[in-house]
């Protein structure tokens, strides 16, 4: 069993984690990042990225994460590919246990474990992920200019994504498994009023259909949830918006989380309910969920951790 001590421990390796690492390292805090078993976060399953500032040409999500990792390492972050499986926020320094047996002792912790989009769980959905199936309209909507797309879900995210997609697509079909939306009334009104949006109630996606060479979605087979009848809807893209799950299982009962499991905190700081534990990115943000906003919050986390340490004379 090995034991590591650090002034700043960063858990998670998406844009929030890497930005926190870069800022903490440049503040001479020699941070340790525990990157998880699949480093890089949600951008690792994204293809083209056109909305991350600083790149005039299209870049690839995995490439961007690789650059962030290299940048974090170059400025002095130690990155360990392990999963944190338990945390003790009562001890000072805090103690975190890795699944490989490493014990991390940390004066401050920045939680940047992110969130996972929920998926329908269809084999065809995974097959076309990044090739017509997407979990983020803001990221990928642009690629469907003048095309027909479907959005799956009936919550705020689905309605916001459908509305956003009308800026690009010629027609947006919202497919919902019931006959009532869960989304806020104001959003619903905007949805119903938009002439580009059509709604198919009481249906679920049974299968995503498309071409193999090159991979491209051409339609979805829908199933009526009341009668079981199926129909095929021709579309070029499917946006799955059935919710997200924040990666906070190990923090349950140890930090204040909201009903959906997101870390509770003020929008103007990265503080959590435990002094010295900070959070950044999608693990605390269910509204913006962008790489650039997550990176911004990672920077906030590192600056907050640095002033926490300075206030206590831990330099
Ligand atoms: P929600 O959990 O609110 O909604 C998920 C939707 O997907 C529901 O309509 C649900 O149907 C449907 N659904 C779930 N599983 C399946 C499935 N397997 N097949 C088909 N449909 C499915 O998630 P959201 O991401 O929309 O929102 C999460 C949280 O984030 C909420 O608190 C929301 O208010 C918040 N949010 C706030 C925003 C804002 O303030 N601007 C923007 C976006 C989100 P059913 O209704 O039948 O359960």
């Amino acid at each position: 069993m090995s034991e590591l001590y650090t002034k700043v421990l960063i858990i998670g390796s998406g844009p929030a984690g890497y930005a926190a690492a870069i800022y903490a390292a440049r503040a001479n805090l020699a941070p340790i990042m525990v990157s998880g078993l699949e480093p890089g976060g949600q951008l690792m399953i994204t293809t083209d990225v056109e909305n991350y500032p600083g790149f005039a040409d299209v870049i690839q999500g995995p490439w961007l994460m690789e650059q962030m990792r290299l940048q974090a390492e170059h400025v002095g972050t130690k990155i360990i590919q392990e999963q944190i499986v338990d945390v003790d926020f009562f001890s000072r320094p805090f103690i975190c246990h890795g699944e490989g047996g490493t014990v991390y002792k940390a004066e401050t912790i920045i939680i940047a474990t992110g969130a996972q989009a929920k998926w329908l769980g269809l084999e065809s959905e995974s097959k076309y992920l990044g090739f017509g199936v997407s979990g983020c309209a803001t990221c990928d909507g642009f690629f469907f200019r003048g095309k027909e797309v479907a959005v799956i879900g009936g919550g705020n995210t689905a309605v916001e994504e459908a509305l956003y997609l009308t800026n690009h697509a010629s027609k947006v079909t919202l497919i919902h498994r019931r006959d009532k939306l869960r989304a806020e009334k104001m959003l619903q009104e905007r949805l119903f009023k938009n002439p580009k949006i059509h709604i198919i109630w009481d249906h679920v996606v049974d299968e995503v259909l498309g071409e193999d060479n090159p991979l491209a979605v051409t339609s979805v087979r829908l199933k009526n949830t009341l009668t079981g009848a199926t129909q095929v809807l021709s579309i070029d893209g499917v946006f799955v918006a059935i919710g997200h799950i924040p990666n906070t299982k190990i923090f349950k009962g140890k930090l204040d989380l909201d009903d959906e499991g997101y870390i509770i905190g003020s929008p103007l700081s990265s503080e959590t309910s435990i002094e010295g534990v900070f959070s950044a990115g999608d693990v605390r943000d269910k509204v913006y969920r962008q790489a650039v906003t997550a990176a911004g919050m990672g920077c906030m986390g590192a600056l907050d951790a640095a002033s926490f340490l300075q206030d206590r004379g831990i330099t």
Side-chain angles (χ1 to χ4, degrees):
M1 184 183 79
S2 63
E3 192 176 295
L4 292 170
Y5 169 83
T6 181
K7 282 180 233 163
V8 183
L9 182 72
I10 296 155
I11 310 177
S13 57
Y18 283 129
I22 292 160
Y23 272 79
R26 288 178 47 78
N28 281 339
L29 295 171
I32 293 180
M33 169 188 275
V34 185
S35 68
L37 295 181
E38 287 168 18
Q42 295 181 76
L43 273 179
M44 297 302 283
I45 54 160
T46 308
T47 49
D48 293 357
V49 176
E50 281 188 343
N51 58 6
Y52 198 84
F55 301 95
D57 296 322
V58 180
I59 52 168
Q60 298 298 302
W63 177 84
L64 179 61
M65 298 324 296
E66 174 68 1
Q67 292 299 308
M68 287 195 199
R69 181 181 69 75
L70 291 171
Q71 189 179 1
E73 281 179 336
H74 288 166
V75 291
T77 308
K78 184 178 170 77
I79 301 179
I80 296 172
Q81 195 168 335
E82 192 176 23
Q83 189 90 10
I84 296 293
V85 289
D86 195 17
V87 294
D88 173 359
F89 291 157
F90 286 109
S91 311
R92 298 288 164 134
F94 303 117
I95 299 174
C96 297
H97 295 271
E99 104 287 352
T102 316
V103 176
Y104 300 88
K105 293 196 168 172
E107 301 291 350
T108 62
I109 295 179
I110 301 170
I111 300 171
T113 46
Q116 295 169 40
K118 281 196 219 160
W119 296 100
L120 299 167
L122 303 169
E123 218 171 277
S124 53
E125 174 189 49
S126 324
K127 174 175 169 183
Y128 291 105
L129 186 62
F131 300 94
V133 173
S134 167
C136 176
T138 331
C139 320
D140 299 329
F142 188 73
F143 304 115
F144 294 89
R145 255 182 307 176
K147 299 194 170 174
E148 299 195 2
V149 297
V151 175
I152 321 299
N156 277 354
T157 305
V159 173
E160 283 197 344
E161 299 230 320
L163 289 165
Y164 175 81
L165 285 164
T166 60
N167 296 321
H168 301 291
S170 58
K171 180 179 169 189
V172 178
T173 304
L174 185 88
I175 297 159
H176 185 35
R177 63 183 177 184
R178 293 188 292 141
D179 65 352
K180 276 187 197 64
L181 299 173
R182 181 183 288 277
E184 287 162 12
K185 285 282 171 293
M186 211 172 82
L187 281 173
Q188 292 197 27
E189 278 167 25
R190 286 175 54 205
L191 182 91
F192 296 142
K193 267 198 231 148
N194 194 308
K196 275 192 176 177
I197 299 178
H198 300 247
I199 303 176
I200 299 184
W201 301 105
D202 298 316
H203 277 76
V204 287
V205 175
D206 204 25
E207 195 173 355
V208 180
L209 305 164
E211 283 160 8
D212 273 353
N213 203 6
L215 279 173
V217 170
T218 53
S219 58
V220 279
R221 190 172 60 238
L222 303 177
K223 189 158 108 190
N224 188 309
T225 51
L226 306 174
T227 64
T230 58
Q231 58 169 295
V232 171
L233 175 75
S234 293
I235 36 109
D236 306 294
V238 188
F239 289 82
V240 180
I242 61 171
H244 283 79
I245 312 168
N247 297 320
T248 51
K249 213 158 108 193
I250 54 167
F251 307 116
K252 212 172 161 198
K254 315 223 165 151
L255 272 184
D256 287 354
L257 306 177
D258 73 10
D259 300 348
E260 293 164 275
Y262 289 89
I263 296 177
I264 297 175
S266 135
L268 292 177
S269 95
S270 61
E271 283 170 11
T272 68
S273 55
I274 303 277
E275 269 195 299
V277 177
F278 304 92
S279 67
D282 289 15
V283 72
R284 60 171 294 159
D285 166 28
K286 58 176 130 175
V287 177
Y288 301 105
R289 294 186 181 129
Q290 301 301 303
V292 66
T293 49
M297 286 184 240
C299 160
M300 287 162 65
L303 296 180
D304 288 343
S307 50
F308 176 91
L309 292 166
Q310 193 165 15
D311 290 350
R312 284 155 187 78
I314 309 166
T315 50

